[in-house]
Amino acid sequence: MQKLGLIAGGGSLPVEIARHCARSGRPLFVIRLKGFAGADLSPYAGAEIGLAEFGKCFKALKRAGCHAVCLAGQVDRPDFATLAPDLRGLAALPGLIGAARKGDDALLRFMIGEFEKEGFVVEGAIEVMDDLGLPEGVLGRVAPRDGDFSDITKALEVARAVGRLDAGQGAVVCRWLVLALEAAEGTDAMLARVADLPEALRGRPGAGVGVLAKAPKPIQETRVDLPTIGPATIEGLARAGLSGVVGEAGRLLVLDREAVIALADDLGVFILGVEAPAP
């Protein structure tokens, strides 16, 4: 079993991966990105490294005997003027800035390319932990009602259209009306916007109408940036008066799965996985 180097940003995904490695016995070394990785990762062997310290990162991973890496967690787009690169980072900086100008996906592909140049195999979170993915069908006890399926179809169509523009990964549709598109603010903030809309446009808690769809961008580097839901997503759905969430099976990560299912069942919202479209 190859030792994994976990390049950890913020949020719960890196923590879930680290715990999974501990449970499964996979050797692990954690690169905690300064300003992003949480304190929950401090018990694991590793190092704290800045975003542009490429040389320090690669040396630490190789010294630790890592052959594979997984990039996981939230990292905000940096202000390049404030970065403090080491020599290897300085060499990569022009390419990094150029990729960032082309969009988030280009930036992620560039980052993956830098690790691959150093001989590392890049694994997606769903490869490291195969039970992270949304299965096909209903997850939990709550199923969509007949009236939800037109919104499911439209919401997926809109989410995929937003993805083609490299703008976001989600959309909210209620009674065939598009209520919100996800952009840089993220899913939680988008759902909060929906909750602030008049109830005439949406459902209400306990009487949900409308659907959140999340879908990866067609050009997306799925080893790094698959759409994600967690307990906060389910709570946001319920507050916004929506019926549920739909995503592509195997292409949406479900964090803290047991808590997500229990919360969805308790709040009466569905979680649905549908077959991903052919490439």
Side-chain angles (χ1 to χ4, degrees):
M1 191 179 291
Q2 287 189 331
K3 188 170 188 177
L4 181 69
L6 177 60
I7 316 303
S12 61
L13 178 57
V15 179
E16 286 209 35
I17 292 172
R19 288 173 179 166
H20 171 79
C21 288
R23 287 193 305 269
S24 64
R26 183 170 187 179
L28 178 71
F29 185 83
V30 180
I31 299 293
R32 300 182 298 276
L33 294 176
K34 288 180 183 176
F36 298 101
D40 287 346
L41 290 168
S42 56
Y44 299 93
E48 187 176 66
I49 290 177
L51 270 182
E53 295 179 317
F54 282 68
K56 186 176 178 183
C57 176
F58 296 148
K59 285 178 184 176
L61 290 168
K62 289 174 181 177
R63 241 186 343 255
C66 297
H67 298 286
V69 297
C70 177
L71 286 71
Q74 299 160 5
V75 177
D76 297 330
R77 183 180 284 235
D79 177 354
F80 292 104
T82 65
L83 292 178
D86 56 18
L87 283 176
R88 179 64 175 80
L90 201 59
L93 202 55
L96 192 70
I97 294 170
R101 288 176 179 150
K102 297 175 185 175
D104 289 343
D105 192 71
L107 180 59
L108 293 172
R109 287 181 186 277
F110 178 84
M111 293 293 295
I112 285 175
E114 292 300 298
F115 281 93
E116 289 178 333
K117 283 180 193 174
E118 294 291 327
F120 297 105
V121 174
V122 180
E123 297 182 16
I126 209 164
E127 296 173 81
V128 177
M129 193 174 171
D130 57 10
D131 61 351
L132 271 176
L134 177 69
E136 193 168 343
V138 175
L139 193 63
R141 294 195 306 268
V142 182
R145 300 162 300 186
D146 289 345
D148 292 320
F149 286 99
S150 61
D151 282 346
I152 287 169
T153 301
K154 177 89 178 260
L156 280 168
E157 179 185 348
V158 174
R160 290 166 181 155
V162 171
R164 284 194 291 273
L165 297 172
D166 196 15
Q169 299 176 325
V172 175
V173 171
C174 182
R175 301 185 187 96
W176 204 245
L177 179 68
V178 178
L179 297 188
L181 305 176
E182 184 188 60
E185 83 277 33
T187 303
D188 293 347
M190 177 181 65
L191 291 174
R193 282 195 284 118
V194 175
D196 285 338
L197 293 173
E199 282 192 7
L201 294 178
R202 57 178 178 84
R204 62 183 186 278
V209 183
V211 173
L212 163 68
K214 298 201 73 174
K217 303 168 187 175
I219 60 169
Q220 189 158 341
E221 177 45 80
T222 55
R223 286 176 293 176
V224 179
D225 192 28
L226 277 174
T228 301
I229 63 171
T233 316
I234 303 304
E235 291 171 348
L237 281 172
R239 280 195 299 270
L242 301 178
S243 292
V245 57
V246 60
E248 296 176 0
R251 288 160 63 85
L252 185 144
L253 303 180
V254 183
L255 305 183
D256 202 353
R257 179 178 299 242
E258 290 184 6
V260 162
I261 295 171
L263 196 55
D265 288 345
D266 185 53
L267 294 174
V269 299
F270 68 80
I271 305 167
L272 177 67
V274 300
E275 185 179 0

